[in-house]
């Protein structure tokens, strides 16, 4: 039986690297994989998944209006025409930027097409107390959920929160979906709950 797997963690926990390592294993075994990510995250450019250690792989980018199940169906047809077999697994990076409707399409891929789907993403947004909508839906629907752990920027506790810093000032409200990174004037810091509310910033 095909399953939906969800891997989540704070920023800078090597989620994309984990995904790409998993993809490498499948491809070394001669299996067909399809990599996807929401086009909302354009940091690596459209059509690519990059890790911070320099490893990358091509992928399909999709926007909020596209049906992920239709993309997978078209890819299955293309593989069949070329005589290359079936899709063994679908990988989705930055899954927090999907819509709830697209999560339901992911479930369709698993249950109706019989294809394993492995999603990687952030659980918490930087907004105080807010979990990404798509991650709520993914965790509700998932067969298996795994946490990729890392430590707080300022202590040895587990990083569970994302603190957004704009011009040196913590920001805990605003739009849920904002693409950011861990460097620059507008940056994110992975931290524990205590330091989310009480960051040691001068």
């Amino acid at each position: 039986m095909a399953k939906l797997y969800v891997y989540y963690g704070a920023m800078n926990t090597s989620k994309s690297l984990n995904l790409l390592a998993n993809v490498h294993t499948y491809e070394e075994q001669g299996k067909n994989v399809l990599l996807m990510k929401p086009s909302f995250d354009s940091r690596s450019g459209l059509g690519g998944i990059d890790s911070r250690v320099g490893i990358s792989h091509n992928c399909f980018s999709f926007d909020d209006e596209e049906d992920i199940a239709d993309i997978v169906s078209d890819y299955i047809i293309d593989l069949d025409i070329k005589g290359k077999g079936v899709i063994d697994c679908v990988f989705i990076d930055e899954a927090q930027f999907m819509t709830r409707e697209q999560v339901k399409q992911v479930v369709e891929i698993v249950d109706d097409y019989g294809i394993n789907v492995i999603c990687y993403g952030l659980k918490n947004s930087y907004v105080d107390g807010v979990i990404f909508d798509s991650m709520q839906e993914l965790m509700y629907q998932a067969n298996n959920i795994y946490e990729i752990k890392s430590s707080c920027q300022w202590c040895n506790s587990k990083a569970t929160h994302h603190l957004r810093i704009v011009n040196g000032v913590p920001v805990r409200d605003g739009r849920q979906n904002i693409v950011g990174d861990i460097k620059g004037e507008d940056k994110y810091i992975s931290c524990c709950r205590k330091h989310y509310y009480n960051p040691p910033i001068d």
Side-chain angles (χ1 to χ4, degrees):
M1 184 181 87
K3 293 182 179 181
L4 170 58
Y5 301 87
V6 175
Y7 288 81
Y8 74 92
M11 291 186 72
N12 208 26
T13 53
S14 301
K15 292 182 297 300
S16 294
L17 180 61
N18 272 268
L19 181 154
L20 293 171
N22 208 349
V23 167
H24 177 74
T25 299
Y26 270 78
E27 291 184 332
E28 282 289 295
Q29 295 171 347
K31 295 176 180 176
N32 290 320
V33 295
L34 175 61
L35 280 66
M36 308 178 77
K37 75 169 187 178
S39 57
F40 184 84
D41 179 14
S42 58
R43 288 171 297 174
S44 300
L46 297 179
I49 294 174
D50 295 341
S51 75
R52 290 190 175 92
V53 299
I55 301 172
S56 62
H57 199 292
N58 61 310
C59 74
F60 278 89
S61 296
F62 57 88
D63 61 36
D64 287 353
E65 305 303 318
E66 291 186 272
D67 189 314
I68 299 174
D70 285 347
I71 294 173
V72 171
S73 178
D74 290 344
Y75 194 73
I76 291 170
I77 292 171
D78 186 56
L79 284 177
D80 187 54
I81 290 172
K82 295 177 180 177
K84 293 186 176 180
V86 299
I87 298 177
D88 294 289
C89 190
V90 174
F91 290 86
I92 301 177
D93 199 20
E94 304 294 350
Q96 72 273 10
F97 293 133
M98 290 194 293
T99 66
R100 282 186 178 271
E101 185 58 34
Q102 286 172 331
V103 174
K104 291 181 171 61
Q105 294 158 12
V106 167
V107 172
E108 180 183 343
I109 294 166
V110 175
D111 292 346
D112 295 351
Y113 297 178
I115 300 172
N116 288 328
V117 178
I118 305 177
C119 295
Y120 289 78
L122 303 173
K123 184 182 75 170
N124 299 346
S125 73
Y126 75 94
V127 180
D128 191 10
V130 176
I131 296 175
F132 283 101
D133 292 342
S134 59
M135 294 305 287
Q136 285 183 321
E137 187 71 29
L138 275 170
M139 290 181 171
Y140 173 69
Q141 302 288 1
N143 297 95
N144 298 86
I145 301 171
Y146 303 97
E147 182 179 16
I148 303 173
K149 299 177 182 178
S150 66
S151 60
C152 172
Q153 172 82 16
W154 293 294
C155 71
N156 290 323
S157 296
K158 184 173 71 173
T160 54
H161 290 55
H162 301 110
L163 184 63
R164 185 181 178 202
I165 306 293
V166 180
N167 297 320
V169 178
V171 177
R172 299 184 184 87
D173 58 14
R175 291 190 297 115
Q176 184 184 73
N177 283 2
I178 298 178
V179 174
D181 216 320
I182 58 174
K183 297 179 181 179
E185 292 301 316
D186 185 349
K187 64 182 179 181
Y188 292 84
I189 294 174
S190 299
C191 58
C192 65
R193 181 187 62 242
K194 174 183 176 180
H195 286 123
Y196 175 80
Y197 293 109
N198 301 282
I201 298 174
D202 295 331

